[in-house]
Amino acid sequence: MIQSFQLFALILIIPLPILSYLWFRYYNIIITEGKKYVGEKYTEEEILLLPSSSKKVKISGKTVIIVNGVNAWITIRVNGGPKQKVFKIRLLNSSGELELINESKVFQLKVILRRSA
């Protein structure tokens, strides 16, 4: 009985490090390639959003939104449209006004906006 349980536990535990390694590897590739979306000529702006605050910025053309912080979720609104939840990275290709909303009541967020020049 104990040997079958040990075998079962081993079968469940062995894939965990492999899947974790693959997740972090491909996650890093997605963020790196997303940063290249705007091209080689770009402007970068860092915005610190305090808890329960928002900020409006003007955008035109290709824009990458990268969220850093304890809570990697942010809410955006493009040109007064519906709210959209973003996890870590979002690629946009639009012009107008972008509203960044930190809905967290506790954690602040650092948002990096990379815009094509």
Side-chain angles (χ1 to χ4, degrees), residues 1-11:
M1 179 73 173
I2 294 177
Q3 290 178 351
S4 63
F5 176 74
Q6 289 174 343
L7 180 63
F8 180 70
L10 189 62
I11 290 172

Side-chain angles (χ1 to χ4, degrees), residues 53-71:
S53 67
S54 66
K55 180 165 180 159
K56 293 182 180 183
V57 293
K58 298 287 183 189
I59 59 170
S60 62
K62 293 183 178 182
T63 306
V64 177
I65 304 168
I66 302 170
V67 183
N68 292 323
V70 176
N71 179 15

Side-chain angles (χ1 to χ4, degrees), residues 19-36 66 68 87-89:
L19 291 174
S20 298
Y21 168 76
L22 291 174
W23 165 255
F24 289 117
R25 180 174 177 194
Y26 287 110
Y27 170 79
N28 198 13
I29 291 171
I30 290 169
I31 298 295
T32 304
E33 292 300 318
K35 288 180 179 180
K36 295 177 184 177
I66 302 170
N68 292 323
F87 179 74
K88 278 295 194 186
I89 189 165

Side-chain angles (χ1 to χ4, degrees), residues 7 14-15 21 24 30 35 46 48 54 56 67 82 92 104 111-112 114 116:
L7 180 63
I14 287 177
Y21 168 76
F24 289 117
I30 290 169
K35 288 180 179 180
E46 286 188 13
L48 184 65
S54 66
K56 293 182 180 183
V67 183
L92 292 174
S104 173
V111 180
I112 300 171
R114 190 177 272 197
S116 59

Side-chain angles (χ1 to χ4, degrees), residues 41-104:
K41 293 184 179 180
Y42 59 86
T43 59
E44 192 168 287
E45 177 183 1
E46 286 188 13
I47 299 171
L48 184 65
L49 286 175
L50 298 175
S52 300
S53 67
S54 66
K55 180 165 180 159
K56 293 182 180 183
V57 293
K58 298 287 183 189
I59 59 170
S60 62
K62 293 183 178 182
T63 306
V64 177
I65 304 168
I66 302 170
V67 183
N68 292 323
V70 176
N71 179 15
W73 287 93
I74 191 169
T75 304
I76 64 169
R77 182 179 283 169
V78 180
N79 294 326
K83 290 183 177 181
Q84 303 170 26
K85 295 291 254 180
V86 173
F87 179 74
K88 278 295 194 186
I89 189 165
R90 175 69 187 265
L91 309 177
L92 292 174
N93 190 6
S94 90
S95 297
E97 187 175 73
L98 172 67
E99 183 178 7
L100 303 166
I101 306 164
N102 182 4
E103 293 184 347
S104 173

